[in-house]
C-alpha cells in the first residue's frame, strides 16, 4: 500500500444555498410522470438529451474531482495517470479539486466544467438542477466490467436511466484504539451511548449526511420508529436522529472532515473511537504510534460510491466521455483505488494491483455480502427513498437545518 493517500475532505464550510433550495423545490412537488413512469427520485429530471455518438476529441477536458482522483505527478512523479490519458487521446486535462459535495454542485452550476466525480449526497442535486446529462453507457466500453451492484442505483440513475459511471466505493467504519477501548466494540452503541466511558475522546464525521449514521443505528435498535432506509426519514424520524446526535455531541471530543486530522488525533491518543474510513485506519497503522482496528458494526454502516457524471452543457463532451472510459479502465482504476484508498469499481482492476496483493481483500472489492450491509450515501428527497411510494420524507435542505441545530 502506498504510504501517502489523498482521500476526500468533505467539510461543511458553508451551505451552497441555491443548489440546496433547488433540490428541495424539485423534490417537494407531487411526483409527476415522465413517459408513463413516476420518477424514483421524487422529481422529474429536466429533459436533457443523451449524447448518441462520439466525435473527435476537443483537445481539452475540464474536471471537478475529489483530491486523489486526477493525479498528474504534482505530489509524486510516480503517481500520474493524466499524462498517459493526454498522450492517448490528445485531451489536455484541467482539474479543479473540490473540498465538499456542496462545492462540487456549485462548480458544476457555473457551466465551466465537463465532468465531475460526485458522491451520492450530490448526484441527485445535480440531476434535479439540470446540471448533468444522462450518460450513454454504450460510449463507455469499460462500463461493461463495472461491478453490477454499482450500476443503476438510486444515487446514479433515475427511472432506470444512468446518470454516471461508478468509480469506487467505501464504508464508514467504526475505528477504536485496541489498547484503550475494552471490551472491543461490536455495535455503534459504542459512540451513541450517553453514558460512554470515553466521553471527550469520541470522534464523528462533520457533515449533514452523518445524520444517516444515527438513523441507521435507530433503524436497527428502535424498530418502533419505522425507519426502513437511513436516507428516507419522516419529520418525526429526522427529529429522533437529530435528538440522538445532540446527545452524542456531549460525548464528542472532535468532529472531522479532513482525514489527516482524524489520523493525527488517533496517533496522539486524543481520539479513541469513532467513525472512519478504511484508508485512515491503514494510515494510522502505518504510523505505528497506536494500535487500532476498524470494524463493520453489527448494525451495518453507511458508505459512499462515487460517480463520474457529465455536464448537461459540456463544452468538451467527447473528451469527457474519453476521460470517463479511461479513469474506470482496469489498470487506471486499480491505480486510483490503491492510491486513494477505496474498493475499485472495475471488476478487472484487482488482478492488476501488485504492490499489495491483499488490497482488494482488505477493501472487500468483490465481497458483495459485505456491501449488503452498507447503505451508500444518497440525497434525501421528499419522495421517500425506501420504496414505500410515500411523499412525506424530509429533504436534504431539512437535514442541513437539523445539522446546524446539532452543531449549534
Amino acid at each position: 500500500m502506498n504510504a501517502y493517500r489523498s482521500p476526500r475532505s468533505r467539510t461543511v464550510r458553508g451551505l451552497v444555498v441555491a443548489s440546496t433550495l433547488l433540490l428541495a423545490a424539485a423534490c417537494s412537488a407531487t411526483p409527476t410522470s415522465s413517459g408513463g413512469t413516476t420518477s424514483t427520485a421524487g422529481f422529474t429530471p429536466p429533459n436533457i438529451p443523451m449524447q448518441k455518438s462520439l466525435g473527435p476529441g476537443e483537445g481539452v477536458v475540464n474536471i471537478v474531482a475529489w483530491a486523489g482522483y486526477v493525479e498528474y505527478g504534482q505530489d509524486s512523479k510516480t503517481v500520474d495517470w493524466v499524462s498517459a490519458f493526454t498522450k492517448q487521446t490528445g485531451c489536455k486535462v484541467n482539474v479543479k479539486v473540490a473540498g465538499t459535495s456542496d462545492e462540487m454542485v456549485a462548480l458544476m452550476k457555473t457551466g465551466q466544467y465537463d465532468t465531475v466525480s460526485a458522491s451520492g449526497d450530490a448526484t441527485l442535486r445535480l440531476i434535479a438542477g439540470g446540471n448533468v446529462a444522462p450518460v450513454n453507457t454504450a460510449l463507455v466500453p469499460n462500463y461493461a466490467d463495472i461491478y453490477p451492484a454499482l450500476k443503476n442505483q438510486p444515487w446514479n440513475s433515475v427511472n432506470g436511466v444512468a446518470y454516471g459511471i461508478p468509480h469506487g466505493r467505501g464504508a464508514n467504519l467504526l475505528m477504536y484504539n485496541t489498547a484503550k477501548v475494552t471490551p472491543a466494540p461490536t455495535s455503534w452503541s459504542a459512540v451513541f451511548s450517553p453514558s460512554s466511558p470515553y466521553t471527550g475522546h469520541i470522534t464523528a464525521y462533520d457533515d449533514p449526511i452523518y445524520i444517516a449514521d444515527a438513523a441507521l443505528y435507530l433503524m436497527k435498535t428502535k424498530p418502533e420508529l419505522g425507519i426502513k432506509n437511513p436516507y428516507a426519514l419522516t419529520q418525526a424520524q429526522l427529529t429522533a436522529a437529530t435528538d440522538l446526535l445532540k446527545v452524542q455531541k456531549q460525548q464528542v471530543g472532535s468532529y472531522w472532515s479532513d482525514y489527516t486530522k482524524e489520523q493525527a488525533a488517533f496517533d496522539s491518543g486524543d481520539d479513541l473511537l469513532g467513525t472512519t474510513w478504511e484508508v485512515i485506519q491503514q494510515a494510522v497503522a502505518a504510523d505505528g504510534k497506536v494500535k487500532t482496528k476498524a470494524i463493520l458494526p453489527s448494525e451495518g454502516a453507511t458508505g459512499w460510491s462515487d460517480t463520474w457524471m457529465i455536464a448537461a452543457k459540456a463544452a468538451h463532451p467527447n473528451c469527457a466521455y474519453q476521460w470517463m472510459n479511461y479513469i474506470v479502465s482496469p489498470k487506471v482504476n486499480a491505480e486510483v483505488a490503491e492510491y486513494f484508498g477505496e474498493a475499485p469499481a472495475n471488476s478487472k482492476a484487482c488482478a492488476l494491483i501488485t504492490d499489495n496483493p491483499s488490497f482488494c481483500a482488505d477493501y472487500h472489492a468483490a465481497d458483495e455480502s459485505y456491501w449488503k450491509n452498507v447503505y451508500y450515501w444518497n440525497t434525501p428527497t421528499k419522495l421517500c427513498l425506501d420504496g414505500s411510494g410515500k411523499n412525506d420524507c424530509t429533504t436534504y435542505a431539512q437535514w442541513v437545518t437539523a445539522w446546524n441545530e446539532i452543531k449549534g
Side-chain angles (χ1 to χ4, degrees):
M1 179 176 294
N2 294 315
Y4 174 79
R5 290 288 187 271
S6 298
R8 66 203 71 207
S9 173
R10 296 173 178 175
T11 59
V12 188
R13 296 177 186 143
L15 172 66
V16 181
V17 177
S19 61
T20 302
L21 293 180
L22 176 58
L23 182 67
C27 300
S28 294
T30 300
T32 58
S33 296
S34 176
T37 302
T38 301
S39 173
T40 54
F43 61 89
T44 299
N47 186 20
I48 297 171
M50 177 189 295
Q51 187 162 332
K52 300 300 182 183
S53 61
L54 285 182
E58 300 87 358
V60 67
V61 59
N62 298 321
I63 302 173
V64 176
W66 296 118
Y69 274 11
V70 186
E71 295 296 299
Y72 51 90
Q74 72 273 29
D75 294 315
S76 171
K77 292 182 179 179
T78 62
V79 183
D80 178 2
W81 35 85
V82 167
S83 296
F85 170 75
T86 299
K87 183 177 180 180
Q88 175 181 317
T89 65
C91 300
K92 177 184 176 182
V93 172
N94 297 317
V95 60
K96 171 68 174 178
V97 173
T100 70
S101 286
D102 285 343
E103 185 180 354
M104 283 191 168
V105 173
L107 288 169
M108 291 302 290
K109 283 172 66 68
T110 68
Q112 299 175 16
Y113 299 93
D114 303 301
T115 182
V116 59
S117 63
S119 294
D121 54 338
T123 50
L124 291 188
R125 285 188 276 168
L126 290 168
I127 296 170
N131 306 123
V132 294
V135 169
N136 187 342
T137 58
L139 303 181
V140 184
N142 285 308
Y143 183 76
D145 297 321
I146 299 296
Y147 287 110
L150 293 177
K151 297 179 179 179
N152 296 317
Q153 295 299 321
W155 61 88
N156 60 27
S157 67
V158 177
N159 294 338
V161 177
Y163 275 82
I165 305 298
H167 171 94
R169 55 181 166 176
N172 299 316
L173 303 174
L174 173 61
M175 180 162 71
Y176 64 97
N177 183 313
T178 58
K180 300 291 186 178
V181 178
T182 57
T186 59
S187 164
W188 284 113
S189 62
V191 297
F192 287 124
S193 172
S195 58
S196 171
Y198 307 107
T199 295
H201 299 286
I202 294 173
T203 186
Y205 189 50
D206 192 0
D207 193 278
I209 206 67
Y210 182 62
I211 292 172
D213 291 59
L216 174 60
Y217 177 69
L218 293 173
M219 181 174 77
K220 299 294 186 175
T221 59
K222 291 192 174 183
E224 64 271 19
L225 290 173
I227 300 174
K228 303 300 182 184
N229 181 303
Y231 306 99
L233 305 180
T234 63
Q235 184 57 62
Q237 292 165 346
L238 176 61
T239 298
T242 300
D243 289 344
L244 177 62
L245 290 173
K246 286 180 178 178
V247 172
Q248 186 198 45
K249 184 186 177 184
Q250 308 307 312
Q251 321 299 119
V252 169
S254 65
Y255 290 91
W256 67 276
S257 54
D258 181 340
Y259 87 103
T260 61
K261 292 182 179 179
E262 186 184 39
Q263 179 182 345
F266 266 90
D267 282 344
S268 69
D270 289 340
D271 287 347
L272 297 179
L273 73 166
T275 185
T276 194
W277 299 322
E278 180 75 25
V279 66
I280 302 176
Q281 194 276 330
Q282 298 279 357
V284 172
D287 291 340
K289 297 179 180 179
V290 297
K291 292 184 178 181
T292 61
K293 187 175 182 179
I295 64 165
L296 184 70
S298 58
E299 300 88 0
T302 61
W304 40 268
S305 172
D306 291 341
T307 302
W308 286 103
M309 310 181 86
I310 188 164
K313 297 181 180 179
H316 315 100
N318 297 311
C319 279
Y321 264 93
Q322 289 184 75
W323 171 261
M324 290 193 296
N325 187 55
Y326 172 83
I327 200 65
V328 299
S329 61
K331 181 176 183 295
V332 180
N333 198 227
E335 291 174 355
V336 179
E338 190 173 16
Y339 178 72
F340 184 86
E342 65 184 347
N346 192 304
S347 62
K348 295 182 177 180
C350 288
L352 302 176
I353 295 178
T354 57
D355 289 349
N356 179 7
S358 67
F359 179 87
C360 280
D362 292 343
Y363 284 82
H364 307 277
D367 184 1
E368 295 304 337
S369 63
Y370 176 89
W371 298 107
K372 285 181 180 179
N373 295 315
V374 175
Y375 295 77
Y376 299 104
W377 283 347
N378 207 342
T379 308
T381 62
K382 187 171 180 60
L383 180 65
C384 301
L385 298 174
D386 58 7
S388 66
K390 295 182 179 179
N391 198 43
D392 61 351
C393 281
T394 49
T395 65
Y396 178 76
Q398 291 171 282
W399 281 42
V400 171
T401 298
W403 184 248
N404 289 337
E405 293 176 358
I406 293 163
K407 293 298 294 293

